[in-house]
Amino acid sequence: NLDTMKIFLLFCLCVCLLSSLNEEGLALKSVPQKLFGGWYFIDNLSPFNGTLPAFLPYNTNYIVLSFIDPSTMVFPENFKAAAKLFPNHFIMASIGGESMSGKWNWLNSADSAIAAAQQAAKWASFGIDGIDIDAEAQATNYPPENMVSFLEELRKQAPQLKISLCVNGNPEGTTFYDYLINNHLNGAGPRYIDWIHIMAYAGYNLDVTYIEHFTKAPKSKWDHPINAGVSNSSVVIGMKGTKGFPTCNPQDYTQMVSYVNGVGLGGVAIWAFTNANSNGTIPWFDPTCNSGYATLCKGVIDISTCGQHTSE
């Protein structure tokens, strides 16, 4: 009868609403069509002090909280606080980084990688939307199959979390990354990687060269570590911050806006942001040198707050 139908429809609505919430009762976010933001570097074995740069929430839609120590897999307390500062952003938490490249002991075996993934899956309750894998240097000497065990278990335990992988600009000789891309991004095996961050940081012309090592692979019949071209939409290019250029609004950013929109690239991530007045200094970051971020915001994601609290 009609009353029964109403009860059934109400039940279905409740199920749909509950399925769209994470463990804290927050609505799960969809990935924006294009991403602009970057690594928010606020912890490196100990938390950095300082304050959130005023321009950052208004001129980005993507934040990568950096870095979680892979030897402990403990989600830092300041990450929990930082995630609340970006309620409308897509937020990733990054594991590793260059300075912690020797701390990936759980990559020594499949069993320990699975245990690490079970820890990482719990981070979904802290308001993040995904996990970034930044395994560099010594970490890439481990068998990539063990990283696959981590990714597989993470996908099983927290399927709502997106997964990104940081890779070098040139894929030649990087068998660890190449194995993961060829098998778990490009379709030879189950897809566990949603997009890659290309650690380029070289300026527009070389950044594009690095992008096309992946998107236009294989580059030659003699040396083609990437078996097939990675979709442009699965690539986020890492660019250096404004202080890495002669001006605070470099032409490189304007050129990259045109490239991103022309080929449908997934987005742009800046290395790196940190707090203003912080004990954690970054050579390419100055919170007052920020007009270029308004250019990237307007050109890549075009949200209504672009330009606010910048010196454009």
Side-chain angles (χ1 to χ4, degrees):
N1 60 30
L2 185 59
D3 288 339
T4 302
M5 180 61 71
K6 288 179 179 178
I7 293 170
F8 176 74
L9 291 173
L10 182 61
F11 172 78
C12 290
L13 178 61
C14 290
V15 169
C16 290
L17 289 173
L18 288 171
S19 67
S20 67
L21 302 177
N22 66 12
E23 292 178 30
E24 286 193 327
L26 301 173
L28 297 173
K29 300 171 199 159
S30 58
V31 182
Q33 184 177 5
K34 285 189 172 61
L35 300 168
F36 171 60
W39 290 268
Y40 183 33
F41 189 23
I42 56 172
D43 202 293
N44 194 39
L45 299 178
S46 62
F48 298 166
N49 60 15
T51 58
L52 176 72
F55 74 87
L56 192 55
Y58 296 95
N59 291 274
T60 56
N61 67 352
Y62 183 50
I63 290 294
V64 185
L65 303 173
S66 307
F67 288 99
I68 291 171
D69 183 349
S71 69
T72 66
M73 296 295 282
V74 172
F75 197 87
E77 288 298 319
N78 64 336
F79 278 24
K80 297 176 187 178
K84 296 176 182 177
L85 301 175
F86 300 94
N88 300 315
H89 285 57
F90 201 86
I91 302 173
M92 308 285 279
S94 188
I95 307 172
E98 184 179 14
S99 64
M100 288 189 265
S101 61
K103 291 177 169 284
W104 292 80
N105 296 338
W106 52 259
L107 282 175
N108 191 49
S109 73
D111 287 343
S112 57
I114 289 169
Q118 290 167 350
Q119 285 183 269
K122 298 175 183 177
W123 302 341
S125 65
F126 301 133
I128 65 168
D129 306 295
I131 292 175
D132 177 52
I133 305 296
D134 192 355
E136 302 185 39
Q138 300 103 300
T140 64
N141 293 328
Y142 288 104
E145 293 86 351
N146 292 341
M147 180 61 82
V148 174
S149 296
F150 173 86
L151 299 175
E152 182 178 32
E153 183 67 14
L154 180 59
R155 190 68 91 202
K156 175 183 173 183
Q157 296 290 334
Q160 75 278 24
L161 291 178
K162 299 299 182 183
I163 300 171
S164 59
L165 174 70
C166 292
V167 300
N168 293 344
N170 189 341
E172 294 179 15
T174 58
T175 54
F176 184 89
Y177 305 138
D178 300 340
Y179 179 91
L180 296 173
I181 291 171
N182 288 331
N183 291 283
H184 299 289
L185 172 61
N186 264 356
R191 181 166 180 172
Y192 299 134
I193 299 166
D194 294 290
W195 59 84
I196 56 173
H197 289 127
I198 300 178
M199 299 183 290
Y201 322 135
Y204 173 75
N205 290 326
L206 195 50
D207 287 353
V208 168
T209 298
Y210 290 148
I211 291 168
E212 294 182 353
H213 278 314
F214 294 89
T215 60
K216 294 187 177 181
K219 296 293 284 187
S220 78
K221 64 182 180 181
W222 296 281
D223 187 2
H224 46 90
I226 304 300
N227 294 338
V230 175
S231 168
N232 281 294
S233 62
S234 297
V235 173
V236 174
I237 181 63
M239 298 191 78
K240 58 186 175 181
T242 52
K243 289 298 285 184
F245 297 96
T247 72
C248 293
N249 192 3
Q251 184 66 20
D252 299 68
Y253 287 178
T254 302
Q255 292 172 301
M256 188 57 75
V257 164
S258 296
Y259 185 87
V260 167
N261 292 323
V263 303
L265 207 70
V268 178
I270 297 296
W271 174 259
F273 305 115
T274 190
N275 287 331
N277 305 311
S278 173
N279 60 330
T281 57
I282 299 176
W284 294 335
F285 179 73
D286 177 346
T288 66
C289 183
N290 52 41
S291 56
Y293 304 134
T295 295
L296 286 165
C297 180
K298 292 175 181 177
V300 176
I301 58 176
D302 192 24
I303 56 177
S304 61
T305 56
C306 291
Q308 292 187 26
H309 298 279
T310 69
S311 55
E312 63 169 0

